[in-house]
Amino acid sequence: MARKKKNVGAYPTGRILFSLTLALLLIGACGLLAVQSKRLVTQVRESNEVRAFLDNDLDSTSRLALADKIAQEPFVLADKATSVRYVSKEAAAKEFIAETKEDFTRFLNDNPLHASYRIRLRETYFAEDKLKEVKAALEKMDGVFEVVYPENMVDNINRNITKIYAVMAGFALVLLIIIIVLMNNTIRLALYSQRLLIRSMQLVGATNGFITKPFLVRGLTQGLVAGLIAATVLCIGWYAALFSLPELTVLTDPLQLLMLAGGLIVLGMLIGLLSTFQAVNRYLGLTLNELY
């Protein structure tokens, strides 16, 4: 069977589309990792609780009024049902015994622990200076005996998160530069087959703008198609992962995923357009001897 002959000067559209789609998929995977990492960090920060221990002589009416007052503070998460949680003296004793494996009730006739409210804060207040402000505000309220929070853990978490973000940002930047350079070279090599066509158009009097326009439209279209394919594959892959691991649902933000998909499409169009523009301009300025 005879092999199909390639047309002289044929433009490798399929190869460019495949390469650009893979590059955008890799960028999208890094972006998805960054987005979900941000959601995970938010979950970690908002899962930590400030403990407001209550006066022992606080009656139930005053206690409920105090809960409503705490829930209205700007540093508390919006959902009162999960953000302000009451723990009685008895429940606190059971927690203490379970954690320390020591039953103090065997040698004490009374429960020395205080009832408390476990308060979840907004992520923006997960910092040492902000937590001190929260502690001071809560301790001014009537019925609050003492407020405590995990000081060392807050500093360690924030320090480690900063390091992780720095490493991820550096890796993503290097990866983006490498991919842009590789795609630029790929499109330049693809346009190498069109160099004589460009020269022929120049010889018949075509202006640079007239010559460049169809190439730019093709580069823009290829970037658009590659971006759409990459965004679709990325979204399908993520929701397939959610189907297998429903626990990941808490990390899912449809709006951020949609913005990431849109960013991939725009980035694909920019890469296709700018790389094509640069390559065409390069061949427009070459002499006949340089073209050969």
Side-chain angles (χ1 to χ4, degrees):
M1 183 177 178
R3 295 176 61 183
K4 185 178 180 180
K5 294 183 179 180
K6 295 183 180 180
N7 296 328
V8 177
Y11 190 80
T13 301
R15 188 182 306 168
I16 291 179
L17 193 61
F18 180 74
S19 301
L20 186 54
T21 301
L22 284 182
L24 292 174
L25 265 178
L26 188 56
I27 294 175
C30 292
L32 185 61
L33 178 62
V35 169
Q36 304 312 323
S37 298
K38 178 63 172 63
R39 292 282 297 175
L40 179 60
V41 168
T42 300
Q43 291 289 328
V44 170
R45 286 174 167 171
E46 293 183 350
S47 64
N48 284 277
E49 296 175 323
V50 171
R51 299 189 180 189
F53 294 102
L54 309 179
D55 294 333
N56 286 329
D57 58 352
L58 195 66
D59 57 69
S60 59
T61 302
S62 300
R63 177 172 60 80
L64 293 175
L66 178 61
D68 291 334
K69 185 177 181 180
I70 292 174
Q72 294 173 4
E73 292 293 331
F75 48 76
V76 179
L77 283 175
D79 188 4
K80 176 186 173 183
T82 59
S83 300
V84 182
R85 182 169 59 94
Y86 175 70
V87 178
S88 64
K89 294 176 60 174
E90 294 73 19
K94 290 180 181 179
E95 285 186 5
F96 182 85
I97 294 172
E99 291 175 0
T100 62
K101 308 300 181 183
E102 295 181 3
D103 189 355
F104 61 86
T105 58
R106 294 180 179 178
F107 51 88
L108 291 179
N109 296 325
D110 189 22
N111 183 357
L113 302 180
H114 288 258
S116 65
Y117 278 122
R118 309 287 175 85
I119 307 165
R120 294 175 58 195
L121 307 180
R122 299 180 186 272
E123 184 185 10
T124 52
Y125 287 87
F126 195 79
E128 191 65 31
D129 55 341
K130 294 289 186 180
L131 286 171
K132 289 180 179 179
E133 295 177 6
V134 171
K135 175 182 172 69
L138 290 173
E139 288 182 341
K140 290 180 181 178
M141 296 182 182
D142 293 334
V144 176
F145 172 73
E146 184 184 12
V147 176
V148 298
Y149 59 88
E151 299 181 17
N152 294 333
M153 186 174 67
V154 170
D155 289 337
N156 290 334
I157 290 176
N158 286 332
R159 191 180 304 111
N160 291 331
I161 287 173
T162 301
K163 292 180 181 178
I164 292 172
Y165 277 161
V167 172
M168 290 181 61
F171 175 75
L173 180 61
V174 171
L175 181 64
L176 181 62
I177 293 174
I178 292 174
I179 287 175
I180 291 176
V181 170
L182 289 176
M183 286 310 307
N184 184 55
N185 290 337
T186 300
I187 293 177
R188 180 182 296 179
L189 289 174
L191 283 173
Y192 179 78
S193 61
Q194 308 290 300
R195 68 195 190 284
L196 297 181
L197 175 61
I198 293 174
R199 182 61 178 177
S200 299
M201 296 174 70
Q202 285 179 316
L203 292 176
V204 297
T207 63
N208 289 347
F210 181 83
I211 297 171
T212 304
K213 183 177 179 180
F215 290 103
L216 294 182
V217 171
R218 180 163 54 186
L220 188 67
T221 303
Q222 288 174 338
L224 174 62
V225 174
L228 288 172
I229 295 174
T232 302
V233 172
L234 192 67
C235 291
I236 291 175
W238 176 247
Y239 281 105
L242 289 180
F243 182 79
S244 302
L245 297 172
E247 296 82 3
L248 295 176
T249 305
V250 296
L251 302 180
T252 303
D253 187 338
L255 178 59
Q256 289 185 338
L257 189 60
L258 183 63
M259 292 175 62
L260 178 62
L264 285 180
I265 295 173
V266 173
L267 181 61
M269 295 171 64
L270 286 176
I271 292 176
L273 183 66
L274 296 178
S275 297
T276 302
F277 179 77
Q278 183 181 7
V280 172
N281 277 348
R282 178 176 181 273
Y283 290 118
L284 284 174
L286 296 180
T287 63
L288 185 60
N289 291 333
E290 291 172 332
L291 289 175
Y292 286 98

